[in-house]
């Protein structure tokens, strides 16, 4: 074969293989990008909302099993810190014992650390957080940094008389001091109405708030919650 033709052919073969490698690499990069992007979009982040004693913790236990989400209860985190008598625990104790909210600066920092400890989470169930508007704003910002968002807030509705009875019973079983004194329980309900209930409206403005009847058997309430979560999954 003519030297020139051979040269041209090998140049084209080289070009073809290079183009092929480039095309494969380009497609791989696109798929990885798409995959990573989809993971974040698919993250389900649920705020389990409602007054103290409305059954958030009980329901969270069922939902994490069903949806493989990470459960973050700020109340549990504070109790863990108090149990270990850490500086954070000692600070939190002074507020919790009186039924007051722990300051936002402390609570938001603790929540952020916990979320960041699970970079590969499929999503989170936030139980007892956010309890104030600044906490809600901080949560939105934190999730936005992960290319994610709150999927929805679900409020368990239970009337005050039932709440007080439930919490007193829980206090007898757990020995939690903030669950054993009726006037502290009633104060916590006031704090909920004044400082926490506005968080429902904050997410309602984004069409993300849902109410669920929190009275009934555990299974009935789980089924009601699952109906709402199904909508989040489809969105
Ligand atoms: P819980 O177990 O969720 O009812 O929380 C028990 C107590 O911990 C509350 O009464 C507050 O004093 C404190 N606490 C829990 N979560 C928060 C939060 N997100 N913001 C401020 N204080 C909180």
């Amino acid at each position: 074969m003519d030297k020139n033709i051979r040269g041209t052919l090998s140049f084209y073969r080289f070009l073809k293989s290079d183009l092929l490698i480039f095309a494969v690499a380009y497609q791989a990069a696109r798929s990885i990008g798409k995959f990573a992007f989809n993971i974040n979009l698919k993250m389900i982040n649920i705020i389990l909302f409602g007054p103290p004693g409305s059954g958030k913790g009980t329901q969270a236990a069922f939902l994490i099993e069903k949806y493989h989400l990470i459960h973050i209860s700020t109340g549990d985190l504070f109790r863990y810190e108090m149990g270990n008598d850490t500086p954070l625990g000692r600070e939190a104790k002074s507020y919790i014992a009186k039924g007051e909210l722990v300051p936002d600066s402390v609570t938001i920092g603790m929540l952020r650390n916990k979320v960041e400890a699970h970079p590969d989470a499929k999503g989170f169930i936030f139980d007892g957080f956010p309890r104030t508007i600044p906490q809600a704003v901080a949560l939105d910002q934190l999730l936005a940094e992960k290319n994610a968002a709150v999927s929805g807030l679900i409020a368990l509705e239970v009337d005050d008389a039932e709440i007080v009875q439930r919490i007193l019973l829980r206090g007898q079983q757990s020995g939690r001091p903030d669950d054993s004194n009726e006037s502290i329980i009633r104060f916590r309900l006031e704090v909920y109405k004044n400082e926490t209930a506005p968080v429902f409206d904050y997410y309602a403005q984004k069409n993300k708030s849902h109410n669920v009847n929190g009275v009934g058997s555990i299974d009935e309430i789980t089924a009601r919650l699952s109906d709402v979560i199904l909508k989040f999954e489809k969105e």
Side-chain angles (χ1 to χ4, degrees), residues 52 74-75 78-79 95-96 99-102 107 128-129 131 135 176 178 188:
T74 40
F78 284 133
R79 282 184 284 279
Y95 299 96
I96 294 176
E100 290 171 5
L101 294 184
V102 179
T107 309
F129 185 97
R131 261 176 155 104
Q135 290 182 16
R176 260 177 71 173
D178 59 335
R188 285 163 68 196

Short mmCIF file of all heavy atoms in Angstrom, two decimals, residues 52 74-75 78-79 95-96 99-102 107 128-129 131 135 176 178 188, ligand 1:
data_model
loop_
_atom_site.label_atom_id
_atom_site.label_comp_id
_atom_site.label_asym_id
_atom_site.label_seq_id
_atom_site.Cartn_x
_atom_site.Cartn_y
_atom_site.Cartn_z
N PRO A 52 -45.42 18.03 72.18
CA PRO A 52 -44.79 16.93 72.94
C PRO A 52 -45.86 15.90 73.27
O PRO A 52 -47.01 16.26 73.54
CB PRO A 52 -44.26 17.62 74.21
CG PRO A 52 -44.91 18.97 74.27
CD PRO A 52 -45.27 19.32 72.87
N THR A 74 -33.85 15.69 68.35
CA THR A 74 -33.01 16.61 69.13
C THR A 74 -33.21 16.37 70.64
O THR A 74 -32.28 16.48 71.42
CB THR A 74 -33.27 18.07 68.75
OG1 THR A 74 -34.67 18.26 68.55
CG2 THR A 74 -32.53 18.47 67.50
N GLY A 75 -34.44 15.98 71.02
CA GLY A 75 -34.70 15.67 72.43
C GLY A 75 -33.82 14.49 72.88
O GLY A 75 -33.18 14.54 73.94
N PHE A 78 -30.20 15.59 73.20
CA PHE A 78 -29.96 16.32 74.45
C PHE A 78 -29.93 15.35 75.65
O PHE A 78 -29.09 15.48 76.53
CB PHE A 78 -31.05 17.38 74.68
CG PHE A 78 -30.89 18.61 73.82
CD1 PHE A 78 -31.98 19.14 73.14
CD2 PHE A 78 -29.66 19.25 73.70
CE1 PHE A 78 -31.85 20.27 72.34
CE2 PHE A 78 -29.51 20.39 72.90
CZ PHE A 78 -30.61 20.90 72.23
N ARG A 79 -30.85 14.37 75.66
CA ARG A 79 -30.86 13.42 76.78
C ARG A 79 -29.58 12.60 76.82
O ARG A 79 -29.05 12.30 77.89
CB ARG A 79 -32.11 12.52 76.72
CG ARG A 79 -33.37 13.23 77.21
CD ARG A 79 -34.58 12.32 77.25
NE ARG A 79 -35.13 12.08 75.93
CZ ARG A 79 -35.93 12.92 75.29
NH1 ARG A 79 -36.29 14.05 75.85
NH2 ARG A 79 -36.39 12.65 74.09
N TYR A 95 -32.46 24.34 80.64
CA TYR A 95 -33.67 24.74 79.90
C TYR A 95 -34.72 23.63 79.94
O TYR A 95 -35.91 23.88 80.17
CB TYR A 95 -33.33 25.06 78.44
CG TYR A 95 -32.35 26.21 78.31
CD1 TYR A 95 -30.99 25.98 78.17
CD2 TYR A 95 -32.80 27.53 78.34
CE1 TYR A 95 -30.09 27.04 78.07
CE2 TYR A 95 -31.91 28.59 78.24
CZ TYR A 95 -30.55 28.33 78.10
OH TYR A 95 -29.68 29.38 78.01
N ILE A 96 -34.25 22.40 79.69
CA ILE A 96 -35.18 21.26 79.56
C ILE A 96 -35.95 21.04 80.87
O ILE A 96 -37.15 20.80 80.86
CB ILE A 96 -34.41 19.99 79.12
CG1 ILE A 96 -33.88 20.21 77.70
CG2 ILE A 96 -35.30 18.75 79.19
CD1 ILE A 96 -33.02 19.11 77.15
N GLY A 99 -38.83 23.18 80.98
CA GLY A 99 -39.77 23.06 79.85
C GLY A 99 -39.54 24.11 78.79
O GLY A 99 -40.36 24.28 77.88
N GLU A 100 -38.42 24.83 78.91
CA GLU A 100 -38.11 25.87 77.90
C GLU A 100 -37.34 25.25 76.74
O GLU A 100 -36.75 24.17 76.87
CB GLU A 100 -37.21 26.95 78.53
CG GLU A 100 -37.94 27.80 79.55
CD GLU A 100 -36.99 28.71 80.32
OE1 GLU A 100 -35.78 28.75 80.00
OE2 GLU A 100 -37.46 29.34 81.28
N LEU A 101 -37.29 25.98 75.62
CA LEU A 101 -36.49 25.51 74.49
C LEU A 101 -35.02 25.81 74.74
O LEU A 101 -34.68 26.87 75.29
CB LEU A 101 -36.93 26.19 73.19
CG LEU A 101 -38.33 25.88 72.68
CD1 LEU A 101 -38.57 26.56 71.34
CD2 LEU A 101 -38.56 24.37 72.55
N VAL A 102 -34.16 24.90 74.31
CA VAL A 102 -32.71 25.15 74.35
C VAL A 102 -32.44 26.20 73.25
O VAL A 102 -33.07 26.16 72.18
CB VAL A 102 -31.95 23.83 74.07
CG1 VAL A 102 -30.45 24.05 74.08
CG2 VAL A 102 -32.35 22.76 75.10
N THR A 107 -28.83 24.36 69.56
CA THR A 107 -29.60 23.28 68.93
C THR A 107 -29.23 23.12 67.45
O THR A 107 -29.04 22.00 66.96
CB THR A 107 -31.11 23.59 69.06
OG1 THR A 107 -31.38 23.87 70.43
CG2 THR A 107 -31.95 22.43 68.62
N GLY A 128 -38.86 16.56 66.46
CA GLY A 128 -38.62 17.58 67.49
C GLY A 128 -37.73 18.71 66.99
O GLY A 128 -37.25 19.52 67.77
N PHE A 129 -37.49 18.77 65.70
CA PHE A 129 -36.70 19.82 65.06
C PHE A 129 -37.27 20.02 63.66
O PHE A 129 -37.54 19.03 63.00
CB PHE A 129 -35.23 19.43 64.98
CG PHE A 129 -34.34 20.52 64.44
CD1 PHE A 129 -33.65 21.36 65.30
CD2 PHE A 129 -34.22 20.71 63.07
CE1 PHE A 129 -32.85 22.38 64.80
CE2 PHE A 129 -33.43 21.74 62.57
CZ PHE A 129 -32.74 22.57 63.44
N ARG A 131 -38.06 23.59 65.83
CA ARG A 131 -39.06 24.02 66.81
C ARG A 131 -39.23 25.54 66.83
O ARG A 131 -40.03 26.05 67.60
CB ARG A 131 -38.62 23.56 68.22
CG ARG A 131 -39.30 22.27 68.71
CD ARG A 131 -38.68 21.94 70.04
NE ARG A 131 -39.51 21.16 70.91
CZ ARG A 131 -39.36 19.86 71.14
NH1 ARG A 131 -38.46 19.17 70.46
NH2 ARG A 131 -40.12 19.25 72.02
N GLN A 135 -34.73 27.90 63.35
CA GLN A 135 -34.29 26.51 63.15
C GLN A 135 -34.75 26.00 61.78
O GLN A 135 -34.02 25.27 61.10
CB GLN A 135 -34.84 25.60 64.25
CG GLN A 135 -34.22 25.83 65.62
CD GLN A 135 -34.74 24.88 66.69
OE1 GLN A 135 -35.35 23.86 66.40
NE2 GLN A 135 -34.49 25.22 67.94
N ARG A 176 -38.56 10.54 83.24
CA ARG A 176 -38.13 11.86 82.72
C ARG A 176 -38.74 12.95 83.58
O ARG A 176 -39.96 13.04 83.68
CB ARG A 176 -38.64 12.03 81.27
CG ARG A 176 -37.62 11.76 80.23
CD ARG A 176 -38.22 11.89 78.85
NE ARG A 176 -38.54 13.26 78.46
CZ ARG A 176 -38.94 13.62 77.25
NH1 ARG A 176 -39.07 12.71 76.31
NH2 ARG A 176 -39.19 14.88 76.97
N ASP A 178 -39.07 16.15 83.12
CA ASP A 178 -39.93 17.12 82.41
C ASP A 178 -41.26 16.48 81.98
O ASP A 178 -42.14 17.17 81.50
CB ASP A 178 -39.20 17.74 81.20
CG ASP A 178 -38.73 16.71 80.17
OD1 ASP A 178 -38.52 15.54 80.54
OD2 ASP A 178 -38.58 17.08 78.99
N ARG A 188 -44.84 23.48 78.48
CA ARG A 188 -44.27 23.01 77.20
C ARG A 188 -45.30 23.13 76.08
O ARG A 188 -44.95 23.45 74.93
CB ARG A 188 -43.79 21.55 77.34
CG ARG A 188 -42.48 21.44 78.12
CD ARG A 188 -42.21 20.04 78.60
NE ARG A 188 -41.94 19.09 77.55
CZ ARG A 188 -41.99 17.76 77.72
NH1 ARG A 188 -42.31 17.24 78.89
NH2 ARG A 188 -41.72 16.97 76.71
P1 LIG B 1 -38.59 16.27 73.21
O1 LIG B 1 -38.08 14.94 73.66
O2 LIG B 1 -38.53 16.44 71.73
O3 LIG B 1 -39.96 16.58 73.77
O4 LIG B 1 -37.59 17.37 73.79
C1 LIG B 1 -37.39 17.52 75.20
C2 LIG B 1 -36.87 18.90 75.48
O5 LIG B 1 -35.62 19.10 74.80
C3 LIG B 1 -37.75 20.04 75.01
O6 LIG B 1 -38.78 20.36 75.94
C4 LIG B 1 -36.74 21.19 74.86
O7 LIG B 1 -36.40 21.71 76.12
C5 LIG B 1 -35.52 20.44 74.33
N1 LIG B 1 -35.51 20.41 72.86
C6 LIG B 1 -35.67 19.33 72.05
N2 LIG B 1 -35.62 19.68 70.78
C7 LIG B 1 -35.43 21.01 70.74
C8 LIG B 1 -35.31 21.98 69.70
N3 LIG B 1 -35.41 21.63 68.42
N4 LIG B 1 -35.12 23.28 70.06
C9 LIG B 1 -35.02 23.65 71.34
N5 LIG B 1 -35.14 22.80 72.38
C10 LIG B 1 -35.35 21.49 72.09
#
